[in-house]
Amino acid sequence: MPPSALGSLRSLTRRLTVGGATGVGWPRHEIALGVAFLVAAALIGLLTSGYLLQFATDIFTFMAMAYGWNLISGMTGYVSFGQIAFYGLGAYGTALLILHGHVPWYVAAPVAGAVAALLALVLGGVMLRLRGIFFALGMFGLVQILSILFSQWQFAGGGQGLILPGALTAHAVYAETVLVAIFAFALNLYYSRSALGLKAMAIRDDEEAAAAMGVHTTRVKIVTFVLSAIPPAIVAGLVAWNRSYIDPPSMFDPSVDFQAILFSLLGGMGTLWGPALGTVILELVGEQIWAQFPEFQLGLFGLLVVLIVVFFPGGVVSVLRRFGWLPRPVIMAPSELPRGSPPALAGEAGGDGPVLEVRGLSVRFGGVTALRDVDLEVRRGETVSIIGANGAGKTTLFNVITGFVRPTRGEVLFKGRPIKGWSVTQLAEAGIGRTFQIPRPMESLTVWENVLLAALNGRRKHAAVDQAAWVIRALGMEAIWLEPVVNLPPGHRRQVELARALALQPDVILLDEVMAGMNREEQEKIRDAIRTLHEYGVSAVAGVEHVVAAIVDLCDRIVVLDFGQKIADGEPQQVLRDPAVIGAYLGEAG
Amino acid sequence: MLILQLLVNGVLLAGMYLLMAQSLNLIFGVMRIVNFAQGTMIAVAGLFTVWLATRIGLNPFLAIPIVFVAMFWIGAIVERLLLRRITLRGTQGELMTLMVTFGISFVLINVALKAWGSEYVSLPYLQSSWRLGPIEFAKSLVIAGAFGTVLSAALFSWLNFTGSGKALLATSQSRIGAGTCGIDAGRMSTLAFALGSALAAAAGTVLVLVTPLGPQSGNDLTILCFVVIALGGLGDYLGAILGALVVGVAQSVLGFYLGGNVQVLLPYILLILIMLFIPRGLSLSRLAR
């Protein structure tokens, strides 16, 4: 690779990281690996022809497909069994453009890629409403539908297929295939280091929690889906041109998709280098094996997928990471935790009206009434505790306010506006932060990324980094800021939850059992944080079951819920002396 | 009268689809996974039956116990050696398991291709039909439909009225709860997967009497089974009856008027429509309650 190319890589790094910080630098072996790939690709293109060149073209074709799949399935966690749909659409688009539009092939393939991306935009809007296995099966079904439709569409050759003028330019096809593979790699590179990628990975870990942190989940998913459709569509156009014959069974063949999935899995799903390594390794090794057992190729693929998923789920990259190679960069992590600056006073002054107002709220689940006619008012900067036994309706109340549950009756006003019909994301953006009763931090990400995810909401990169750093310092989490959440004990996980909610810089923060399972020292940190909240104009509503003592001296007001009804509301000392409250809360009848 | 004939055929088909789908339901209920190899297991069992009948001259109904036992053990081994080792939980775990069964289906397809070629074959057996007024009852379809219905009913009775069946049902409702009652949830998973596979095999044996099967028909069948149980609500044994009837009748009627392609496409279109608009199914038993 010429030095100028290296230079442009570095400037790309700078753009992807924050202010020339080195925390997300380029480890040497990563650059070396990239250079090795490019040199090998160039040498093959210059020195080989015939069978070898075709073999190399196949490798890069699969690499592009594996990277496409990795984007939607590895990064975003939406495992698709139907990316081959875009492969087929790309092939047919290219063929029809060449035959009827008389467009040269090197233009036809990218145009078909763009068309496929457009179709992905439409399809994504429908298919991405499905989750988990439903999405996987739905995509699989979509491919079958397309395959049958194309076999009926006479203009596209029907079941007979289409014959194209043959390709006489194997080297050119190879070069364009390599370019598509590089493009697909670049997309993955961007995802592994950018805010968009962070949001995608957050969706993979916990889509609902991501929405509660202000991530526009639908938008991120659709963008990713569209991007993931482009590489297979373009390479399929090149394949069609190269083979000069296409028909529905070969262009919508699930086993081709399956190979791309296998390559991605072997290398390491959701990693930057996995698809490339997996494709190269398995194509080279496989070539020897298939030659021995040509009739068992499909079965061996199947067997490999089974064995990899069961015994080797992290793939090649996970093994390399054990030796410290190819680590996942922590997204936008500066080399040192910046000082951060405290946020400006929250929100517009908005007068003295209540920040949050709940009026006559009732929620019924089937025959169970979780909340009955509950009223609540929270003023700016106020700290309110909602106490009540397990099942009193605290979490349901929080779920209604944050958009997770629709109320049966009644309304919620936030800063004076009714929030009926607002989505979880919109509410988070508007300034309602929350923690979950059972902490739901993003497991595969670090503390830093969890906090940054929320801080990115409505902020530019630098401001978000500043905000995240401030929150981490404010909560005293400097020692664990680069720790992956999956390694953290429960108390720390709750801290991460609180930090995330704070990083949103909300007007109101809803803390659901925020001190449960914490030791004294950790509780003290949270108490400090809650004390600080109102200095920044943040109102806090804390749902508390057990550690009442820990919160009493912090709050301005206590509201008591009992079986979904509000039975008291007032000054802490006064409420706690109320005989009705004592009766309900301590279970002393009469 | 034609429409009546089509309805009868649809209902008979439904009896068989019910068995195919209940075995998927059984596995989904206990293990929370969709066995993507289900359809291929059905197809392979059907092809094996054809092989037994043409090579050895074995009556297809005598083949049932053989494929049943064989697939039971294959299922048990797959669960013990592979599926059990997937430690991921939640959505990612479900997807990994789906991927493994996807892989298994490719292995089975390859083995079947090697053993019996890629052709679609049927087993000519009980080719004549009974007449009742203007309606014709194809013997093979009646036998297959009745067999499916009876075996499904047997499964339902076993689950609801016997100790071991109840243990399995309990596990599907709450693994932890069942565990505290002394039920070995791991054992139940093995049993569910093994029994689910075996019932799929039994369904394949009779399916091949009424429709041609090939190694590649597995995926179509998997989706068909999934649609049936998704229509009725995943894990809902009574709901699946409604699902089977809807799919069976729709396939019979639409297939006649709109052609074979629609018949093949129908499950896929239903799949996407159901998941988008009624993801919880028609919920027959919730209505009944």
Side-chain angles (χ1 to χ4, degrees), chain A residues 54-86:
Chain A
Q54 184 55 47
F55 180 49
T57 309
D58 285 350
I59 292 182
F60 283 104
T61 300
F62 273 115
M63 200 185 285
M65 291 182 61
Y67 270 121
W69 184 82
N70 195 46
L71 216 51
I72 184 70
S73 303
M75 300 285 183
T76 323
Y78 273 68
V79 169
S80 165
F81 286 169
Q83 292 311 95
I84 197 77
F86 302 112

Side-chain angles (χ1 to χ4, degrees), chain A residues 69 73 77-79 81 126-127 129-138 140-142 144-146 148-149 151-152 204 254-255 258 261 265 269 295-303 305-307 309-311, chain B residues 28 32-34 36 81-83 85-86 88 91-92 94-104 106-107 109-111 113-114 216 219-220 222-223 226 230 234 261 264-265 268-269 271-272 275-277 279:
Chain A
W69 184 82
S73 303
Y78 273 68
V79 169
F81 286 169
V126 179
M127 302 304 289
R129 285 164 58 191
L130 307 173
R131 289 193 186 178
I133 52 174
F134 293 98
F135 177 74
L137 291 174
F140 185 80
L142 184 70
Q144 306 299 317
I145 292 172
L146 285 174
I148 293 176
L149 287 182
S151 71
Q152 296 302 306
R204 175 183 68 196
S255 69
F258 194 60
I261 295 176
L265 279 177
M269 172 179 178
E295 288 157 319
F296 288 100
Q297 191 172 350
L298 203 60
L300 287 170
F301 276 144
L303 194 62
V305 164
V306 172
L307 295 178
V309 173
V310 175
F311 299 104
Chain B
F28 181 85
R32 298 288 145 195
I33 63 168
V34 172
F36 204 86
L81 289 186
L82 302 172
L83 299 181
R85 289 174 201 265
I86 296 171
L88 278 169
T91 319
Q92 294 300 313
E94 284 168 14
L95 286 166
M96 290 303 120
T97 324
L98 189 69
M99 209 108 82
V100 168
T101 56
F102 197 39
I104 292 170
F106 274 95
V107 175
I109 290 173
N110 202 159
V111 170
L113 279 173
K114 199 73 194 94
Q216 311 276 21
N219 291 336
D220 293 342
T222 301
I223 297 298
F226 185 77
L234 291 180
N261 272 315
V264 182
L265 265 180
Y268 293 101
I269 295 171
L271 171 78
I272 292 176
M275 293 194 302
L276 286 176
F277 299 110

Side-chain angles (χ1 to χ4, degrees), chain A residues 139-430:
Chain A
M139 285 304 294
F140 185 80
L142 184 70
V143 173
Q144 306 299 317
I145 292 172
L146 285 174
S147 177
I148 293 176
L149 287 182
F150 271 91
S151 71
Q152 296 302 306
W153 191 24
Q154 291 312 318
F155 180 69
Q160 303 288 313
L162 281 175
I163 295 171
L164 286 70
L168 300 167
T169 48
H171 281 89
V173 169
Y174 171 76
E176 196 165 347
T177 308
V178 171
L179 283 180
V180 181
I182 292 174
F183 168 69
F185 172 80
L187 287 177
N188 281 260
L189 177 65
Y190 181 67
Y191 268 68
S192 71
R193 284 162 182 268
S194 65
L196 179 60
L198 177 60
K199 289 171 185 171
M201 287 186 251
I203 290 173
R204 175 183 68 196
D205 283 5
D206 190 334
E207 193 166 341
E208 285 188 335
M213 293 306 117
V215 174
H216 285 265
T217 50
T218 308
R219 197 182 299 168
V220 172
K221 285 185 319 192
I222 290 181
V223 166
T224 312
F225 190 64
V226 168
L227 292 177
S228 79
I230 297 173
I234 303 181
V235 291
L238 302 175
V239 167
W241 167 252
N242 200 13
R243 284 194 200 154
S244 72
Y245 170 71
I246 59 172
D247 65 345
S250 63
M251 289 297 124
F252 292 101
D253 182 359
S255 69
V256 173
D257 213 7
F258 194 60
Q259 285 183 52
I261 295 176
L262 170 59
F263 294 152
S264 197
L265 279 177
L266 174 72
M269 172 179 178
T271 65
L272 175 59
W273 291 97
L277 292 175
T279 310
V280 171
I281 292 171
L282 203 55
E283 281 278 5
L284 292 180
V285 177
E287 187 69 2
Q288 313 302 316
I289 302 173
W290 316 147
Q292 302 288 314
F293 312 98
E295 288 157 319
F296 288 100
Q297 191 172 350
L298 203 60
L300 287 170
F301 276 144
L303 194 62
L304 272 173
V305 164
V306 172
L307 295 178
I308 292 168
V309 173
V310 175
F311 299 104
F312 194 45
V316 173
V317 170
S318 75
V319 175
L320 295 178
R321 280 185 183 163
R322 257 177 240 164
F323 301 100
W325 293 338
L326 306 181
R328 186 180 75 81
V330 178
I331 292 176
M332 292 185 196
S335 55
E336 245 175 78
L337 187 65
R339 293 213 52 77
S341 45
L345 283 181
E348 60 269 44
D352 282 341
V355 157
L356 186 70
E357 224 181 326
V358 173
R359 286 190 198 147
L361 197 72
S362 296
V363 176
R364 263 197 299 278
F365 298 114
V368 183
T369 303
L371 287 177
R372 182 174 301 152
D373 212 18
V374 171
D375 294 309
L376 177 70
E377 234 184 66
V378 181
R379 283 182 293 278
R380 187 168 291 283
E382 195 181 27
T383 302
V384 178
S385 292
I386 298 182
I387 66 174
N390 207 356
K394 300 179 304 267
T395 300
T396 306
L397 180 62
F398 287 1
N399 280 342
V400 171
I401 297 172
T402 50
F404 280 84
V405 169
R406 298 251 174 268
T408 316
R409 235 169 345 97
E411 60 173 356
V412 178
L413 287 93
F414 178 58
K415 293 196 271 190
R417 276 185 298 171
I419 57 166
K420 189 170 190 244
W422 290 28
S423 71
V424 173
T425 306
Q426 284 170 319
L427 288 167
E429 273 192 317

